[in-house]
Amino acid sequence: MCSSDLPKDETLGGNDVENGNGENGTDSGYKEVPDQEASRSSMFTKRKVLGMTWCGLNFDVNDDIKVLNNVSGRVESGEVCAIMGPSGSGKSSLLNVLAGRSASGGGVKITGTVKVGGTKVNPVEYRTQIAYVMQDDALMATTTPREALRFSANLRLTGVSAEEIEEAVEHTLQALDIVECADTFIGSALIKGISGGQRKRTSVGIELITQPSLLFLDEPTSGLDSHTAFSLVKLLKKIAASNASIL
């Protein structure tokens, strides 16, 4: 996977990144090939066949704190890959580097190589092509899932008519199984709204509206009960079945 002639100390994005085993034992050891039944869904089509590989990733702070140490790994198109490890092992740091959200500068040095579809990329410059669902959602409490998806589509989809945007929103609502709550306030601690699982699905939908080939999720099942977490993982399998890479 990682050729011996790859540069070991190339600075990324200054950076280039990789994934696999992080400091304190972070491990991307769980992979699952999704069932082909889900590939028929009209919501999950037209994706490029892309995978991501990363080799020799290092994340150093002030030259004395090593967040990631020679991390390598890959996620293929059509796969769901989970990075597992204890708290503080560098899981989120790894995702942030791969997604181009962390770069060298200000005492931070990130080195390594990242390839997408076999082509070397700079994660910082490639970040617009990666959908990233954060651990803590930033959904507006007084909007509905339908409004949140429509807003995301209007901002991100260019050269698309209003009718096509509405069709994409409806397909996403149906694929995420949140049609029944599509017109209910998302809510907050002070405003009654949809459930935690429905909020998480809405967060995923906001990123899915552009039909990305690479989807990253930071602790997507945290705070969810076992049934809701299982349903979310099944949804991720359906997304992966359309040639997406899920990390």
Side-chain angles (χ1 to χ4, degrees), residues 125-168:
E125 296 175 355
Y126 197 77
R127 60 182 297 177
T128 58
Q129 307 300 316
I130 299 174
Y132 191 104
V133 180
M134 296 182 295
Q135 179 180 353
D136 299 317
D137 64 64
L139 302 173
M140 187 175 295
T142 54
T143 61
T144 67
R146 188 188 306 278
E147 291 170 339
L149 293 178
R150 185 184 296 128
F151 184 73
S152 177
N154 280 314
L155 286 178
R156 300 182 179 193
L157 300 179
T158 58
V160 178
S161 66
E163 291 76 14
E164 290 174 319
I165 286 179
E166 287 302 317
E167 183 180 2

Side-chain angles (χ1 to χ4, degrees), residues 3-68:
S3 302
S4 58
D5 59 348
L6 286 174
K8 298 295 184 181
D9 298 318
E10 182 174 357
T11 301
L12 302 182
N15 329 335
D16 277 11
V17 187
E18 301 155 271
N19 164 287
N21 297 321
E23 186 187 20
N24 298 333
T26 301
D27 180 27
S28 55
Y30 171 79
K31 291 186 178 180
E32 186 169 0
V33 179
D35 58 89
Q36 299 303 311
E37 174 89 11
S39 62
R40 303 193 190 98
S41 172
S42 61
M43 171 60 202
F44 308 127
T45 56
K46 301 180 182 178
R47 282 182 172 82
K48 296 180 181 179
V49 179
L50 297 175
M52 176 178 277
T53 61
W54 51 97
C55 294
L57 174 64
N58 293 280
F59 187 145
D60 298 297
V61 180
N62 297 326
D63 294 326
D64 60 351
I65 300 176
K66 187 169 288 292
V67 180
L68 299 173

Side-chain angles (χ1 to χ4, degrees), residues 201 225-237:
R201 285 171 176 257
D225 60 70
S226 58
H227 173 73
T228 304
F230 179 69
S231 298
L232 180 61
V233 172
K234 288 188 1 183
L235 170 64
L236 297 179
K237 287 181 61 178

Side-chain angles (χ1 to χ4, degrees), residues 211-225:
Q211 296 187 337
S213 295
L214 295 169
L215 175 62
F216 293 176
L217 303 98
D218 188 9
E219 299 193 27
T221 59
S222 292
L224 303 180
D225 60 70

Side-chain angles (χ1 to χ4, degrees), residues 18 53 69 71 84 141 176 183 209 218 222 233 237 239 245:
E18 301 155 271
T53 61
N69 182 22
V71 179
M84 304 178 70
L176 298 175
D183 299 306
I209 202 73
D218 188 9
S222 292
V233 172
K237 287 181 61 178
I239 298 171
S245 301

